[in-house]
Amino acid sequence: MKIDNIPIDLILKNMFAATGTVLKIFFLTILFSVPLGFLVALARRSRFKIISLPTRIYQLIFRGTPLMLQLFFFMYGPFYIFGKGFERFTACIVAFVINYAAYFGEIFRGGIAAIPKGQYEAAKVLGYSRLQTFMRIILPQVVKNVIPATGNEFMTLVKDTALAQVISVSEIFDVASKAGSKYFSAIPVMIAALFYLVMNTAVEFAFKLIEKKFDYYKI
Amino acid sequence: MLVKAYNIKKKFDDVNVLENISLEVKEGEVVSIIGPSGSGKSTLLRCLTQLERVDSGKIEIDGKVMVDTKDGKTVYADTNTLHEIQLKVGLVFQNFNLFPHYSVLKNIIDPQIVVLKRSKDEATKIAMELLYKMNLADKSHAYPCELSGGQQQRIAIARALALNPKILFFDEPTSALDPELTGEILKVIKNLAKEKMTMVIVTHEMAFAKEVSDRVIFMDKGFIVEQGTPQEIFGNSVNQRTKEFLSQMNSYNQFY
Ligand SMILES: Nc1ncnc2c1ncn2[C@@H]1O[C@H](COP(=O)(O)OP(=O)(O)O)[C@@H](O)[C@H]1O
Ligand SMILES: [Mg+2]
């Protein structure tokens, strides 16, 4: 099939293949960065400066510099320093995970801080241990608190996967822009836009559903 | 004596909030604490319920020493003893502090199951009896956000009672409520007093304090200025500060 003299079916085939890569980046990043972000949030709340301060500096660096630069850093940095480094896709995942954990850390920290002191006090007077208080009383409310911001971050992540091409991990946008310049056409890039939109519509729907599930109470 | 507290001192950033407070509460006694805001009433309750640590002094609850000061050193009991003492006391907050993600029933049974290791059936039975008593049995599956302040406070009282505390502390239990809702809470507390529940109540409801208390304590600026029977305090206090406070409360109550 050809539109505008472009082999649409071929481009689509390549894009679907690249979608696999995008989904892999997306799910692997979430799999590791969400739990890591949780630990970052706890570390930031530590009363020991020796834990909270380095964590804050880590977050500042990774939230304060472009993800693109971080991708380069994890791809080529280790080669300069140690003489050997990560494989391409691994470097990509490492950069995404470390970057997103910094953001999730900030979101979760805010979610924990938003729980009123009275919740801890009520639980303490009732005799709950600190761990019981956190797991049973605080955490479920934190989850509800952070759903909207987390959904936002997931949608950003879908779009950020387009940056993987800077270390030659072939993803949707990479396929589209290459095809675009090869055939002097904007159509491949527009198809790519549609791909991102479809994925993010799914993310948006999923988060609306989750939000609804937590709608049975208000804080 | 259920509560024995001697020479409690507590500072917040170099400001003395409690200065040598001594207080005893007998089993079955109802004690009201009155006094201007900022006088340290909440801090006293928070020290007695382990939400704050005292700087010095001795506190004993139901024969168990929570904290003692000897030779200038203030030492708290070990974690297990502190937990045992914690289970003997209940605290009802001004703003209820119900767990919003739990239904009314779950608010009352969860502490029983988690802390006292009661079975779910037993905990539910106890919770439902308390809900009947509080006139809220039909709300057992509601969530706190769906209830009025007065209803939430009654749930909070039921939640505390479910753990069978020896003594129940109240920190201005009606201050966050609309005036028309305070009555239902005061009625619950009066009924508890009839059942000989030991209670220490911080309140600005003078008529209520007069009616329900065996003893009234007037606090000001971190000191217990005066204590006595309701008649002694409300009827014919000779203390200048007590009289001033009471006349202020009087004009306030008339205004509202
Ligand atoms: N956590 C705290 N940190 C610093 N100051 C506090 C704290 N809690 C209470 N205070 C101060 O202690 C004094 C007594 O407060 P409080 O016990 O709440 O009085 P009351 O309950 O009688 O109104 C007030 O001056 C208050 O500002
Ligand atoms: Mg107070």
Side-chain angles (χ1 to χ4, degrees):
Chain A
M1 188 179 74
K2 285 195 177 189
I3 301 175
D4 218 4
N5 247 344
I6 304 171
I8 295 290
D9 42 359
L10 182 67
I11 292 172
L12 277 179
K13 204 181 121 219
N14 289 342
M15 277 197 194
F16 275 115
T19 302
T21 309
V22 167
L23 291 178
K24 247 166 53 192
I25 297 173
F26 179 79
F27 284 111
L28 284 171
T29 301
I30 283 166
L31 182 69
F32 293 111
S33 67
V34 168
L36 204 59
F38 185 70
L39 294 180
V40 168
L42 293 184
R44 274 297 298 277
R45 286 177 58 81
S46 169
R47 57 204 149 93
F48 303 111
K49 263 240 142 65
I50 196 152
I51 296 174
S52 64
L53 189 65
T55 312
R56 188 172 152 206
I57 293 170
Y58 145 70
Q59 285 181 290
L60 190 61
I61 292 171
F62 283 88
R63 292 164 71 220
T65 58
L67 175 55
M68 191 190 280
L69 194 151
Q70 294 162 24
L71 282 159
F72 282 124
F73 175 79
F74 285 106
M75 184 69 232
Y76 305 112
F79 280 107
Y80 279 111
I81 303 166
F82 305 112
K84 59 181 189 179
F86 297 116
E87 191 241 319
R88 205 168 286 287
F89 186 74
T90 313
C92 168
I93 297 300
V94 169
F96 270 94
V97 167
I98 291 184
N99 178 277
Y100 271 80
Y103 283 97
F104 284 129
E106 202 56 17
I107 291 171
F108 299 162
R109 187 178 73 86
I112 297 172
I115 306 297
K117 232 175 83 209
Q119 293 289 304
Y120 294 89
E121 294 182 346
K124 163 137 177 59
V125 174
L126 290 166
Y128 286 83
S129 70
R130 284 172 62 136
L131 185 66
Q132 287 165 341
T133 303
F134 192 76
M135 298 309 288
R136 307 187 64 86
I137 310 300
I138 307 302
L139 196 54
Q141 299 183 56
V142 171
V143 170
K144 179 180 168 100
N145 277 351
V146 302
I147 290 169
T150 304
N152 207 23
E153 215 55 40
F154 277 34
M155 288 178 83
T156 307
L157 174 58
V158 168
K159 294 176 287 175
D160 274 353
T161 57
L163 289 171
Q165 63 171 299
V166 300
I167 53 170
S168 305
V169 172
S170 174
E171 39 66 49
I172 296 172
F173 196 72
D174 183 53
V175 170
S177 55
K178 278 181 184 146
S181 47
K182 185 171 173 190
Y183 300 105
F184 294 106
S185 167
I187 289 178
V189 179
M190 280 150 77
I191 298 175
L194 212 60
F195 270 68
Y196 290 112
L197 198 57
V198 167
M199 284 187 281
N200 263 338
T201 305
V203 172
E204 206 261 1
F205 265 73
F207 270 85
K208 272 283 157 315
L209 264 176
I210 299 171
E211 246 177 76
K212 231 180 166 161
K213 260 193 102 86
F214 279 86
D215 239 9
Y216 64 92
Y217 76 90
K218 285 194 200 61
I219 290 178
Chain B
M1 285 294 164
L2 215 47
V3 177
K4 293 196 219 171
Y6 302 116
N7 299 324
I8 297 182
K9 290 189 184 160
K10 173 78 188 167
K11 270 188 199 182
F12 281 121
D13 335 300
D14 289 339
V15 179
N16 292 325
V17 175
L18 297 178
E19 316 219 34
N20 262 325
I21 298 279
S22 294
L23 167 81
E24 293 189 331
V25 183
K26 283 201 291 271
E27 194 138 12
E29 200 178 13
V30 178
V31 177
S32 290
I33 301 178
I34 60 171
S37 102
S39 56
K41 307 178 299 294
S42 296
T43 306
L44 175 58
L45 290 202
R46 293 168 60 82
C47 287
L48 295 173
T49 53
Q50 300 186 43
L51 290 179
E52 302 283 355
R53 294 212 152 195
V54 300
D55 295 329
S56 68
K58 178 174 186 181
I59 299 176
E60 205 179 301
I61 306 243
D62 197 25
K64 285 200 152 60
V65 177
M66 178 201 297
V67 55
D68 199 359
T69 302
K70 275 185 196 144
D71 309 324
K73 272 184 72 179
T74 303
V75 181
Y76 267 83
D78 59 281
T79 317
N80 282 340
T81 310
L82 288 181
H83 182 70
E84 276 174 42
I85 296 174
Q86 190 80 77
L87 295 183
K88 292 174 186 288
V89 306
L91 174 62
V92 174
F93 299 84
Q94 183 175 337
N95 48 359
F96 334 128
N97 290 333
L98 291 176
F99 302 135
H101 59 306
Y102 283 171
S103 70
V104 164
L105 186 65
K106 182 104 196 246
N107 261 280
I108 306 176
I109 64 172
D110 198 66
Q112 299 183 62
I113 295 168
V114 173
V115 178
L116 298 186
K117 313 273 181 259
R118 284 183 185 146
S119 72
K120 191 173 177 194
D121 284 348
E122 192 191 358
T124 307
K125 193 168 152 268
I126 291 167
M128 285 315 292
E129 276 165 17
L130 283 163
L131 283 173
Y132 274 112
K133 231 168 100 174
M134 299 289 161
N135 240 323
L136 286 169
D138 55 328
K139 298 289 185 196
S140 64
H141 294 291
Y143 281 82
C145 63
E146 299 162 346
L147 302 178
S148 74
Q151 291 170 326
Q152 290 190 50
Q153 192 61 298
R154 277 182 281 158
I155 305 296
I157 295 171
R159 181 177 68 174
L161 288 172
L163 300 178
N164 306 108
K166 286 267 190 172
I167 178 166
L168 201 47
F169 294 92
F170 293 80
D171 192 358
E172 302 194 28
T174 60
S175 291
L177 301 178
D178 294 334
E180 70 267 24
L181 298 178
T182 59
E184 60 188 66
I185 299 303
L186 300 183
K187 209 173 102 195
V188 168
I189 299 175
K190 280 181 211 164
N191 284 335
L192 289 172
K194 273 190 207 131
E195 295 168 17
K196 288 288 158 214
M197 180 78 206
T198 314
M199 293 184 283
V200 175
I201 308 159
V202 172
T203 183
H204 288 302
E205 302 283 333
M206 294 302 138
F208 164 74
K210 197 170 166 179
E211 185 188 340
V212 79
S213 323
D214 300 306
R215 184 152 51 98
V216 178
I217 292 175
F218 172 58
M219 275 182 76
D220 192 17
K221 302 198 172 83
F223 290 95
I224 290 183
V225 176
E226 197 183 1
Q227 56 177 311
T229 62
Q231 288 74 22
E232 284 165 345
I233 300 294
F234 295 110
N236 40 19
S237 169
V238 288
N239 187 294
Q240 194 53 36
R241 275 205 272 173
T242 313
K243 284 202 293 201
E244 265 169 38
F245 172 72
L246 289 176
S247 78
Q248 268 169 21
M249 288 310 288
N250 242 335
S251 49
Y252 173 91
N253 280 348
Q254 269 161 18
F255 187 76
Y256 283 94

